[in-house]
Amino acid sequence: MRTELRITATAGTLPHIHAVGGLAARRTGIDTVHFIGTAATPLGGDVLDIVVTVGAGARLTVRSVAATIALPGRETRKSVAHWRFQVAAGGELEFDPEPTVIAGGAEHETYTSVVLEEGARLRLRERVQIGRTGEDHGYWSGELTADVGATPLLRHRLELGADAVTEDGLSGPRAVESILTYPDDRQVETTGLDAALLPLAAGGTLFTRTARLLTI
């Protein structure tokens, strides 16, 4: 199944939503929308194409009503999601949905692109957990590309799960949380070997934490 979702925020009006497929969104506030699943997705073979656009001077907060569960399909275990975020000058986007859970045997890939104009503000949070209770086998990869105007801000890729390149079979992480914040002038901060807040050369920060389980 192919899912297409478009959310557009314009200053002075309610967010506009267009959805086709297994994912929709509902306005839950003047500048807030929540994702709502209308069918079981992503299943193996599914493709999700989501575009979130915030216009000049507009503000948008995106949440979800429940976690997303990626499941293997009958013919393939792989599903793919493309996320595109565009924020104009003076616009502000806070994206913080519930986690994505990769069920046993599923393989889910995400490709996220962010385009910010000078003067835009962004907080983009992603959380992924490999396996439901009692499950340990599944695979996720996430690729994030972010630019401010014509200036590269971030090129980042992570893999989790039994088929990940870094999997050691004993202590490999099964959960990741990442937060891209722009602008942000915080300095480097690390917690052991599992979590780090790193400033980006073009401004902003990237926080990444890996673990066996997500924390609330």
Side-chain angles (χ1 to χ4, degrees), residues 156 158 176-179 194-198 206-210:
H156 192 243
L158 283 174
V176 64
E177 175 186 14
S178 66
I179 304 173
D194 301 323
L197 175 74
L198 301 176
L206 176 68
F207 170 79
T208 305
R209 184 183 73 88
T210 57

Side-chain angles (χ1 to χ4, degrees), residues 40-44 46 48 67-73 77-80 99-110 128-129 131-132 135 137-140:
T41 193
L43 296 173
D46 286 359
L48 286 73
T68 297
I69 301 179
L71 298 165
R77 52 187 290 219
K78 179 180 176 181
S79 56
V80 178
T100 296
V101 179
I102 312 301
E107 177 182 336
H108 186 60
E109 297 182 355
T110 64
V128 177
Q129 176 72 58
R132 297 169 292 188
E135 296 176 339
H137 185 74
Y139 172 80
W140 170 85

Side-chain angles (χ1 to χ4, degrees), residues 45-114:
D46 286 359
V47 176
L48 286 73
D49 184 13
I50 300 99
V51 180
V52 179
T53 304
V54 180
R59 185 182 188 279
L60 180 65
T61 298
V62 179
R63 300 281 192 267
S64 63
V65 298
T68 297
I69 301 179
L71 298 165
R74 290 184 177 180
E75 298 182 359
T76 178
R77 52 187 290 219
K78 179 180 176 181
S79 56
V80 178
H82 297 272
W83 298 84
R84 287 176 283 169
F85 300 94
Q86 303 166 355
V87 186
E92 182 175 350
L93 171 62
E94 180 173 345
F95 182 81
D96 190 359
E98 295 299 310
T100 296
V101 179
I102 312 301
E107 177 182 336
H108 186 60
E109 297 182 355
T110 64
Y111 299 89
T112 303
S113 67
V114 177

Side-chain angles (χ1 to χ4, degrees), residues 85 87 93-96 112-116 120-127 143-148 151-156 177-186 196-209:
F85 300 94
V87 186
L93 171 62
E94 180 173 345
F95 182 81
D96 190 359
T112 303
S113 67
V114 177
V115 177
L116 306 173
R121 303 184 67 87
L122 171 74
R123 181 178 182 270
L124 182 70
R125 185 187 189 199
E126 183 174 30
R127 292 172 290 168
E143 183 176 303
L144 172 59
T145 299
D147 297 317
V148 179
T151 302
L153 178 66
L154 179 66
R155 303 292 186 267
H156 192 243
E177 175 186 14
S178 66
I179 304 173
L180 173 62
T181 306
Y182 182 89
D184 191 4
D185 58 4
R186 287 177 291 172
L197 175 74
L198 301 176
L200 305 175
T205 60
L206 176 68
F207 170 79
T208 305
R209 184 183 73 88

